[in-house]
Amino acid sequence: MDRREAIERVRAAFVWRGDRGDDSSYADVTGWWRDPVLLGALGPLIAGLFEDEPPTVVLGIESRGCLLGPLVAVAFGAGFVEVRKNPSPLADSDAWVRRDTPPDYRDRQLTLGFPRRLVRPADRVLLVDDWIDTGGQAMGARQLVLDVEATWVGVAVIVDALEGNEVRRRLGVRSLLRDRQLS
């Protein structure tokens, strides 16, 4: 499937729920996971955004980053690491890297983390998610990568809803489409 057809499928399977001006409104992306043709194409299409800078590791923040991240990792032939929100080690001996985020799209500050052994200084790391709104979680993930002295490649998303270019440039965000293309 080419990029144009994929974007049309993304748009067709997307729904805004609630009144857009209401705090309870949200972007319903569940149709993206239901379309098997689109689902099969998303990994290679998102990977294509960074074909010029292939990572050795793909990060995905729970929950939807953990759906898309493995699809992109497979397309690159790279590993995948889950970034957990408010993580707790599985055992006392687990060494975790943790960082608090700036406020996210729900104005929450979260603690993000992953086991230190999974990302090494020689790694080139790409963060994958479905949507970026404020960049708060992505900035927290970037700091985790820098904390382990790995190289930050950027952020690959389906939808870029950032309002300004400063965060987009700092994080190296590339997307299949902008949120205004969904309306």
Side-chain angles (χ1 to χ4, degrees), residues 100-120:
D100 292 332
T101 69
D104 69 2
Y105 65 102
R106 290 187 183 158
D107 204 29
R108 303 171 298 179
Q109 285 188 279
L110 302 170
T111 300
L112 300 179
F114 55 75
R116 181 176 292 275
R117 65 184 163 73
L118 297 179
V119 180
R120 296 178 279 285

Side-chain angles (χ1 to χ4, degrees), residues 29 32-33 64-65 68 128-132 156-160:
V29 301
W32 297 349
W33 321 132
R64 292 189 295 233
L68 284 171
V128 171
D129 212 341
D130 63 329
W131 197 287
I132 188 166
V157 295
I158 296 174
V159 179
D160 175 350

Side-chain angles (χ1 to χ4, degrees), residues 19-39:
D19 180 8
R20 290 283 306 272
D22 185 357
D23 287 343
S24 64
S25 72
Y26 67 97
D28 182 353
V29 301
T30 57
W32 297 349
W33 321 132
R34 179 62 181 96
D35 180 341
V37 174
L38 178 58
L39 186 60

Side-chain angles (χ1 to χ4, degrees), residues 7-76:
I7 289 172
E8 287 310 312
R9 282 181 179 259
V10 163
R11 293 177 70 194
F14 175 81
V15 178
W16 282 110
R17 300 286 183 195
D19 180 8
R20 290 283 306 272
D22 185 357
D23 287 343
S24 64
S25 72
Y26 67 97
D28 182 353
V29 301
T30 57
W32 297 349
W33 321 132
R34 179 62 181 96
D35 180 341
V37 174
L38 178 58
L39 186 60
L42 283 174
L45 285 166
I46 294 169
L49 297 170
F50 280 87
E51 66 188 353
D52 60 327
E53 297 184 66
T56 57
V57 174
V58 172
L59 294 184
I61 300 173
E62 65 177 337
S63 68
R64 292 189 295 233
C66 290
L67 289 170
L68 284 171
L71 299 173
V72 175
V74 167
F76 276 121

